Amino acid sequence: QLLLVQSGAEVKKPGASVKLSCKTSGYSFMDFYMHWIRQAPGQGLEWMGIIKPRAGRTTYAQRFQGRVTMAWDTSTSTIFMELISLKSDDTAVYFCAREAGGFSDWGQGSLVIVSS
Amino acid sequence: QAFLAQPPSVSKDLGQTATLTCTGSADNVGSRGAAWLQQHQGHPPKLLSSTDNNRPSGISERFLASRSGNTASLTIIRLLPEDEADYYCSTWDTSLSAWVFGGGTKLTVL
């Protein structure tokens, strides 16, 4: 059974950083791209970046470059996303998603609240 | 703002057919097609159709995806109450080297 299980909710102050995780199972981790996508309250979906495990590469959306770092741990089939210099408009649910012809499988989401 | 244009809302009667559109450019929909996602309130999105218009296993045949030029469409036939949700299109943009989304369409089943 394919599963993407994300870390729990976080509350952060402006200027802080947050690191989220997404543990995958049930498929060959190295053979599929993984993405981070976020959704602000009442808003649409926003792509943040992609992890290509076998290629050993990450690519970030331009608006997050310099603030986001994505990584992975092959031994645990887990991906990570760290966002620094948090602002109030970073408040959102952050999803990890596996790519197979589109975003085929999703984690349950991790709520990040940025508030002073 | 969204890179792909979707109507904000569509309302249709139970049992009728709804067609949702997603308009992009040659750099995205025109060259890559578009995948469609359904999202119910409080839940992660679910893939209804891949960028090559194929339905994943378990997705109802009532969901039909197509593309003409730079516009992708999702047709939902025989609407059911549970079809009421937000629908997003998404694809890779070759100019931006990024995945892009539509702003989403809220489908109301009357």
Side-chain angles (χ1 to χ4, degrees):
Chain A
Q1 178 189 8
L2 194 153
L3 287 174
L4 305 178
V5 179
Q6 297 187 227
S7 49
E10 303 263 10
V11 179
K12 297 291 182 179
K13 294 194 182 303
S17 63
V18 68
K19 186 173 184 178
L20 306 177
S21 66
C22 169
K23 182 171 175 55
T24 76
S25 59
Y27 72 96
S28 176
F29 177 77
M30 297 295 286
D31 291 337
F32 292 88
Y33 299 164
M34 291 292 294
H35 300 258
W36 286 96
I37 295 159
R38 75 178 187 179
Q39 187 171 37
Q43 302 300 308
L45 301 167
E46 182 175 28
W47 182 76
M48 299 183 69
I50 184 173
I51 293 171
K52 300 180 178 181
R54 191 171 295 282
R57 289 170 47 190
T58 57
T59 302
Y60 307 137
Q62 187 169 11
R63 67 167 291 182
F64 296 106
Q65 285 182 3
R67 278 214 304 145
V68 71
T69 302
M70 297 179 187
W72 65 98
D73 180 344
T74 305
S75 68
T76 60
S77 301
T78 301
I79 66 169
F80 304 92
M81 189 280 295
E82 182 176 28
L83 190 63
I84 65 171
S85 303
L86 290 169
K87 301 167 283 188
S88 58
D89 61 4
D90 290 317
T91 293
V93 176
Y94 290 75
F95 294 102
C96 60
R98 187 181 77 127
E99 180 188 336
F103 302 114
S104 59
D105 304 279
W106 293 69
Q108 82 276 21
S110 298
L111 174 63
V112 175
I113 296 172
V114 183
S115 174
S116 55
Chain B
Q1 70 281 16
F3 289 95
L4 307 177
Q6 296 185 251
S9 62
V10 168
S11 298
K12 290 289 183 180
D13 290 328
L14 194 66
Q16 296 301 302
T17 296
T19 297
L20 313 182
T21 58
C22 169
T23 301
S25 70
D27 291 332
N28 42 64
V29 177
S31 56
R32 297 295 181 121
W36 288 92
L37 300 159
Q38 177 193 60
Q39 186 179 32
H40 288 105
Q41 182 73 25
H43 292 271
K46 178 171 70 175
L47 185 68
L48 296 178
S49 177
S50 65
T51 50
D52 57 1
N53 298 331
N54 288 316
R55 278 186 305 273
S57 173
I59 299 301
S60 171
E61 294 178 350
R62 297 186 301 106
F63 295 95
L64 306 165
S66 61
R67 177 177 68 90
S68 176
N70 297 336
T71 297
S73 299
L74 178 71
T75 298
I76 312 170
I77 63 174
R78 300 193 298 273
L79 283 167
L80 299 173
E82 56 262 37
D83 296 332
E84 188 161 292
D86 294 322
Y87 292 81
Y88 295 92
C89 58
S90 65
T91 190
W92 178 257
D93 187 290
T94 58
S95 174
L96 297 172
S97 292
W99 276 83
V100 293
F101 287 95
T105 295
K106 182 175 182 60
L107 175 64
T108 300
V109 180
L110 302 171

